[in-house]
Amino acid sequence: GIGKCVALELARRNARTILACRSRERGQEAVEEIRAATGNPAVLLRLLDTSSLASVRAFAQAVLREEKRLDLLVNNAGVTGLPFSITPEGLELTFATNYLGPFLLTNLLLG
């Protein structure tokens, strides 16, 4: 999708690129594909589920702890057409995934 294309282009430009993915298996496949296509070994996988505010907080803490700087953030995750459901944190799934999670992530990484 769009996120993978953006990550591929950033890696082509020799950027250290972190793929924030919900699925470890699919994320690792994307990392390996991007590394092979670009020759850039600095393509990393970190797990993130934007529907979970706990996951967002853990991801942001790890990035702030592990990375010297962050130059660009692409919020690309989103869902549509899912049946109504509530996350374990009591939030509506689509709203949490598409809005609350990315908003929280951006604000946590600004500082």
Side-chain angles (χ1 to χ4, degrees):
I2 294 170
K4 187 174 173 185
C5 288
V6 170
L8 179 64
E9 186 58 32
L10 291 170
R12 275 194 180 122
R13 294 170 186 232
N14 206 35
R16 180 175 171 83
T17 306
I18 300 170
L19 278 67
C21 301
R22 197 176 44 214
S23 165
R24 182 178 302 278
E25 180 180 290
R26 290 178 57 204
Q28 191 58 45
E29 288 174 10
V31 165
E32 291 170 13
E33 182 180 326
I34 292 169
R35 284 178 182 167
T38 65
N40 183 344
V43 179
L44 311 170
L45 173 65
R46 298 292 181 264
L47 296 182
L48 172 62
D49 179 353
T50 59
S51 74
S52 164
L53 300 186
S55 175
V56 171
R57 289 180 192 284
F59 176 85
Q61 287 174 352
V63 168
L64 292 172
R65 182 179 59 248
E66 297 169 6
E67 301 299 324
K68 293 178 184 172
R69 64 187 230 205
L70 178 66
D71 295 314
L72 178 66
L73 174 66
V74 178
N75 283 315
N76 182 66
V79 295
T80 186
L82 297 178
F84 179 84
S85 64
I86 301 294
T87 69
E89 294 166 312
L91 304 168
E92 193 279 320
L93 179 65
T94 301
F95 185 59
T97 303
N98 295 352
Y99 180 75
L100 293 177
F103 180 83
L104 178 60
L105 178 63
T106 300
N107 280 280
L108 291 173
L109 293 175
L110 283 174

